[in-house]
Amino acid sequence: MKIAIIGAGNLGTGLAKHLVRGGHQVFLSFSRNAEETARSAGSIGAQSGTPSEATVHADVVVLAPPWTAVGEALQQAGPLDGKVIWDCTNPLNPDLSGLLLGTTTSAGEEVARLAPSAHVVKAIPPFAEILHGPPLPPGTPQPSTFVCGDDAEAKRVVSELVSVIGAEPVDSGPLAAARFAEPAAMLLVHLAYRQGMGGRIGARFFRVP
Ligand SMILES: NC(=O)c1ccc[n+]([C@@H]2O[C@H](COP(=O)([O-])OP(=O)(O)OC[C@H]3O[C@@H](n4cnc5c(N)ncnc54)[C@H](OP(=O)(O)O)[C@@H]3O)[C@@H](O)[C@H]2O)c1
């Protein structure tokens, strides 16, 4: 698939590595340092450019900027009619101590309001420390990623990509379920960066039949 990543930071580059390895054509974009992004894209076999260059031919648009830059990112992307948006953002406040919105709406639903003609799927991936780090030791359970969306085909596509990055997709129902998935991811941020556990952590969902 052709995949545009908007947000070429820790998460965006971590996702890009796995998606390129999985055989996808990846285009990194939306950085204030185009040279650095071009260098890191080149080193992993991806392309780089502006958000509109990235999205124009993309099948899937991965949204990975800080929450506060989402409006600007989508504006720079231009029309996203009919595209699948894999929204990875968590609406964290700048000191990572909490969420700027939640439980009565979600970042996922706000993205859908900003890009009404796209199919938005919320799926917050494992931490960049896991994506960039050495492979997990044998026997470590795959981290789970809750996948929320209103379009079945878009959810299927994003779930496939979640598997490519080494996580287990968990179908969590409609996009509005992002109201609960985002605070769940916030708990991991709290454990990693405020309780001192570090970013090599994840959570595993299981269900007894
Ligand atoms: N990191 C993780 O482990 C992780 C895991 C799950 C979800 N997320 C979510 O993914 C998103 C990105 O996180 P991250 O850790 O990758 O952040 P990051 O490393 O700070 O990367 C953000 C990217 O957005 C770019 N950007 C462009 N315009 C910007 C602006 N006006 N203000 C700020 N940034 C701008 C940055 O550009 P520059 O290169 O110029 O800085 C950078 O490439 C967040 O919503 C976060 O909640 C992150």
Side-chain angles (χ1 to χ4, degrees):
M1 272 187 276
K2 290 186 177 138
I3 302 174
I5 299 185
I6 307 184
N10 262 334
L11 182 67
T13 53
L15 292 174
K17 275 184 196 168
H18 288 265
L19 294 170
V20 167
R21 259 185 238 144
H24 297 285
Q25 224 177 302
V26 176
F27 205 124
L28 272 170
S29 70
F30 197 55
S31 154
R32 292 157 297 187
N33 188 340
E35 269 178 32
E36 179 52 38
T37 299
R39 225 183 341 267
S40 62
S43 73
I44 56 176
Q47 291 170 274
S48 70
T50 65
S52 60
E53 287 167 345
T55 54
V56 68
H57 298 301
D59 305 302
V60 176
V61 175
V62 178
L63 197 56
W67 171 246
T68 47
V70 160
E72 189 188 334
L74 288 172
Q75 207 168 19
Q76 288 189 28
L80 296 173
D81 302 356
K83 301 219 188 257
V84 173
I85 298 184
W86 173 3
D87 175 24
C88 300
T89 63
N90 213 2
L92 301 173
N93 64 22
D95 72 359
L96 311 184
S97 63
L99 295 174
L100 293 167
L101 54 87
T103 72
T104 55
T105 183
S106 60
E109 289 161 279
E110 296 305 315
V111 168
R113 267 190 269 282
L114 291 169
S117 56
H119 303 299
V120 178
V121 177
K122 179 78 199 204
I124 298 181
F127 285 132
E129 288 89 336
I130 301 242
L131 298 175
H132 284 288
L136 297 174
T140 310
Q142 273 190 318
S144 300
T145 287
F146 298 105
V147 180
C148 317
D150 296 330
D151 183 279
E153 175 57 15
K155 265 204 311 197
R156 188 196 62 72
V157 168
V158 171
S159 297
E160 191 183 311
L161 297 177
V162 165
S163 300
V164 170
I165 64 160
E168 179 217 32
V170 178
D171 185 345
S172 304
L175 187 60
R179 296 173 186 193
F180 313 122
E182 290 168 6
M186 175 68 225
L187 176 63
L188 292 179
V189 170
H190 171 76
L191 294 173
Y193 306 116
R194 297 185 78 83
Q195 294 299 309
M197 293 187 184
R200 295 277 289 168
I201 61 169
R204 172 73 184 191
F205 173 81
F206 72 90
R207 177 182 181 209
V208 179

